[in-house]
Amino acid sequence: MKRFSFLVYNIFFVLLFFLFSSCSNNLKKNRYDVSNFVYYLEAPQEQQYGQIMGRQDEFKRLEKNQMNKLSNLVSKDGNMLWLRIQFSLPEELKGKDIGLYIGHLRSASMLFMNNNGIRKYGDFPPIENTAGYTAQYFMFPRNIVNQKGLNTVMIQVWPGAFGSLSSKIFINEQPDIFHTAERDTFYNSKIIVCFAGIMLLVFFMYLFLYIIMHKFPNSAVYLFYALLNFYTIHFLVPIYISEISWAKPSFISYYTMLKVFFFGGAFTTVYFANSFIIAYLKYKDSKPVIITRIVLWIVPILITFAISNFKLMPKVLPLLIILTLTQFCFSIPRIFMAFMDKEKKKTVIKMLFGFSPVIAGLIADIILKIGRVNPDLTYITIYGWQVTIYLFLSDLLIQFGSTYRHNTLLKDQLSEFNSHLEDVVALRTKELSEANYVLSKGLETVAHVQKNFLPQKNKTFRGWELAISYNALDNNVSGDLYDYYFTEGILDGMGIFDVSGHGIPAGLMTILAKSIISQHFITGMNQEEPISNVLKDINKSYIKEKVNVENYITGLLFRFSEFNKKDICSVEFANAGHPYPLFYDSTKDTVIELKQHEEKQYGIIGVEGLDVSFPPVSFRASQNDIIVCYTDGLTDSVNQKGEDFGKERIFKLIQQYHNESAIMLMNRIMDKFSDFIGSHKIGDDITLIVLKRVNSKDYIEEI
């Protein structure tokens, strides 16, 4: 039954369609085209109809290519055009009520038929008013129409700056004239009023959205979209003004309205269209770009208002269009940039889809109007622009809805989380407590291992006093490493190293490094290998053993000789990117840094593929000479004022307290460091070694 009803309804509407189509087609068959019978004459505005009728021999034929540029036919400001159409009634229209249809005749006109005034569209200067895009039609009473003789239609026209005449001009029965004119008026202007009303609603809606969301990121896209709609309404005013002529103040001329709304609206619409594109793609303009774009927006408007002669407007228009379209130089590159960005590519495609209707409409209008395929057809770009407006309206509404749903979901999740907050906090506290317990046990283990494998901090050798301060940053686990090597009370060598990083990872690597360094030092000493080669062998072995661990080591490795008869010891060391050791020379009473001057030192331990050079430095140590070594945690530490402890303070302390023992001098330096730091937290492990030469003959071996 439902299928039958559906079939009946369809048959009914099909019959109606063919019925009205038939009637329409029957009326169209009687149309008599008079567009080839149009002639024109330029005349001053003050010349009346009677005077023009006396100048019939001066009329010139109006060619098709001139119809779209009536303003070009007027040589002097203030002059009018008179159009003449003469025709004899065809047999099929004799004895019938007829009318004349003109697709459009801009800007204002008044028609006479066989010496009878018929109708006026718009107003002539000085307070001119355009007929807009209304389709013009004229109904002729039967008693003024010559059924057998020649009929003369005279039309007085004020063309303004952009006057034009439709090439679609015909006479026919009045029902066809009326319906054709009403239909074209609807598509050309009445529907634009509807568009304007919708865009005004969209403007207020998105202006409100911007006001309530202006603190959110990229909220400017709502403002630019609102203004884009608002100034599109401005731009369309001259198109639909004839439908709301009651709203136009009588003191505003058509040319002023054209400047303010059509041109001002067009330039502003292009400006905000580009602003919308840039904001939609989530880009921001720099201040110089913003200023440049504003200048390109304001200058065409100022030029437009500066032109007082409407005849100049068509000549300046190309320059104004170029200046306005320059705005796209700031948005089109952004489109290409965003298209190349994977995160923004979908946004670009969506934006191009949104603008596709207006682009398609623009191409169609260029073909139809500039190409003269169908210049009388309504502007498709306007309809395409409306579709574009609605597509972005839908997109922005979807984005807003998505944001609202996301916030609602987040609110629900937050509410649920708050309801179980105590349970979650208790669970997390328990997990953290267990993790901290495991971590503390791990730290204790590593600290215990480090404590056991490092030698004692203070020791006396034949001819040497050794004092060491060793301070770990993280729970007694340090990335610093020190070691010394001796045989039966004789100091053979000493090393200080700094592994990158802190805590357990660095502490574990010190265990590996100590084993490698000790092995190579002893082997090198037995084989009398140069200290620089020993350090290079350590570098190779450490790179091999640490596998994929990303860290490195800086350090100093010393080797000491036996004492000669004058109680002087030879010292040799190599440096692997470590702070230079300090040396107090008792014979000169000076403190210096021990550097390599002849051959350049570069590189560190543990970086695969890095070229290294660890040239040896040799010097002699006499009684009361002092060697001080430290890691950079000492000198780089800062106090509450942000000042570095630095090496200069160590220089002064060595100079001041060089007569004291190694342990006392070490304590002096660390006490000064503690006073300097105060309550400020240190940022790295700190190791300080003080090695002082004493009389080798006074040595008593420790028990």
Side-chain angles (χ1 to χ4, degrees), residues 312-352:
L312 294 176
M313 182 58 72
K315 298 177 182 179
V316 181
L317 189 57
L319 172 63
L320 300 179
I321 292 174
I322 291 172
L323 287 173
T324 303
L325 294 182
T326 306
Q327 291 277 351
F328 287 100
C329 293
F330 299 96
S331 59
I332 292 177
R334 303 286 181 84
I335 295 174
F336 285 106
M337 288 168 55
F339 190 80
M340 300 303 293
D341 188 338
K342 291 182 179 179
E343 295 182 0
K344 294 184 178 182
K345 189 172 183 178
K346 289 184 179 179
T347 304
V348 175
I349 294 173
K350 188 165 56 173
M351 188 198 69
L352 292 176

Side-chain angles (χ1 to χ4, degrees), residues 549-675:
V549 178
E550 295 293 335
N551 75 343
Y552 59 88
I553 301 174
T554 65
L556 300 169
L557 188 60
F558 288 83
R559 182 187 289 165
F560 306 103
S561 71
E562 295 182 1
F563 300 98
N564 62 17
K565 293 179 180 181
K566 294 182 180 180
D567 199 19
I568 296 174
C569 172
S570 294
V571 182
E572 182 186 29
F573 79 93
N575 190 341
H578 201 78
Y580 298 117
L582 307 182
F583 178 65
Y584 171 74
D585 188 343
S586 59
T587 60
K588 298 180 181 179
D589 191 27
T590 57
V591 181
I592 62 171
E593 284 185 316
L594 297 173
K595 302 179 181 180
Q596 173 56 260
H597 298 291
E598 297 178 1
E599 186 179 351
K600 189 175 182 181
Q601 183 273 321
Y602 52 85
I604 52 180
I605 298 171
V607 180
E608 187 173 4
L610 178 67
D611 192 19
V612 297
S613 173
F614 307 133
V617 179
S618 300
F619 62 95
R620 304 180 76 186
S622 305
Q623 284 189 44
N624 297 320
D625 289 350
I626 302 172
I627 301 172
V628 177
C629 306
Y630 54 87
T631 56
D632 58 6
L634 177 66
T635 52
D636 291 350
S637 294
V638 297
N639 61 12
Q640 292 180 344
K641 296 180 181 179
E643 301 170 335
D644 293 338
F645 183 69
K647 59 188 177 184
E648 289 77 13
R649 288 182 174 84
I650 304 176
F651 273 79
K652 292 179 181 178
L653 291 169
I654 295 172
Q655 191 79 47
Q656 184 177 358
Y657 299 106
H658 66 271
N659 289 325
E660 297 185 2
S661 66
I663 293 177
M664 289 301 296
L665 179 56
M666 178 200 71
N667 289 334
R668 296 280 190 185
I669 296 173
M670 293 311 298
D671 289 344
K672 186 70 173 180
F673 176 78
S674 297
D675 293 340

Side-chain angles (χ1 to χ4, degrees), residues 218-266:
N218 204 41
S219 59
V221 70
Y222 298 113
L223 176 64
F224 292 141
Y225 183 72
L227 294 174
L228 182 60
N229 279 272
F230 183 75
Y231 283 102
T232 299
I233 298 171
H234 274 226
F235 166 68
L236 295 175
V237 164
I239 296 177
Y240 62 78
I241 188 64
S242 59
E243 304 299 329
I244 56 168
S245 56
W246 49 269
K248 176 181 175 294
S250 59
F251 60 85
I252 297 180
S253 68
Y254 168 66
Y255 189 46
T256 301
M257 184 185 68
L258 204 63
K259 288 180 178 180
V260 174
F261 292 101
F262 186 77
F263 290 106

